[in-house]
Amino acid sequence: SSFLIQVVTIFPEYLAPLRQSLLGKAAERGLVDIAVHDLRAWTDDVHRTVDDAPYGGGPGMVMRPEPWARALEEVRPPGTRLVVPTPAGRPFTQAMAAEWAAEPGLVFACGRYEGIDQRVADWAAEAGPVSEVSIGDYVLAGGESAVLVMVEAVTRLLPGVVGNRESVEFDSHADGLLEGPSYTRPASWRGHDVPPVLLSGDHAAIARWRREQSLRRTAARRPDLLLRLPEGALTEAERQL
Ligand SMILES: COC(=O)COc1cccc(COC(=O)c2cn[nH]c2)c1
């Protein structure tokens, strides 16, 4: 059965890329279904108003709760996870992507302005899991770009979507470390040579070298990931690197 992705947004055309490339093929093969809904379809005033001034004052506007509740009541199958991209969310991780890929589908709510009335997430939690997640420490104008990112991260983990299953298993972050450098032909290129071990055919040495490259890169670029590794993840020798 296909993984059902639904997105509610005031900019439905922004989600058009979801039908291209990887996602397009997966959609054609019935592995994933994508439906994009315009939040304004659930407004009831002539101006199709989706926002209003914030209680307590302050700059900008807040998205009104009622249109969101009507939209979600109609499109969200009971128990389906509601994902709300927000700068104030828990960090989105590969682990989350893997967990979500094992569920029947997802509904994404794209916030704009200063955000969605908080009671929508609180109310939605009564009908299933709600995940307020951040894709990074920066502020976007709305959730749509974050949805493109998360949909790509999740759908590539769906069985059958990425031809070479191995490439998914060996993703960066799959073992909690960053992937090391990759090379292809030519062996010598503009004065830069491929590390000789990779041409040696010694697969044990190659695996050792790759692991060491991963560790060194992770220590240099993302020391925070090293702190998060489970107990036995690193040998004593690796800890010394
Ligand atoms: C309850 O949640 C909300 O109200 C969400 O509201 C908003 C408001 C403005 C922008 C966004 C989009 O998310 C990000 O900017 C974001 C996500 N990750 N890193 C940056 C969402």
Side-chain angles (χ1 to χ4, degrees), residues 84-88 109-118 121 132-144 146:
V84 189
T86 169
C110 298
R112 280 270 155 176
Y113 310 103
E114 298 311 306
I116 304 170
D117 185 303
Q118 189 58 44
E132 294 186 49
V133 291
S134 163
I135 62 164
D137 293 336
Y138 37 77
V139 181
L140 304 168
E144 290 79 8

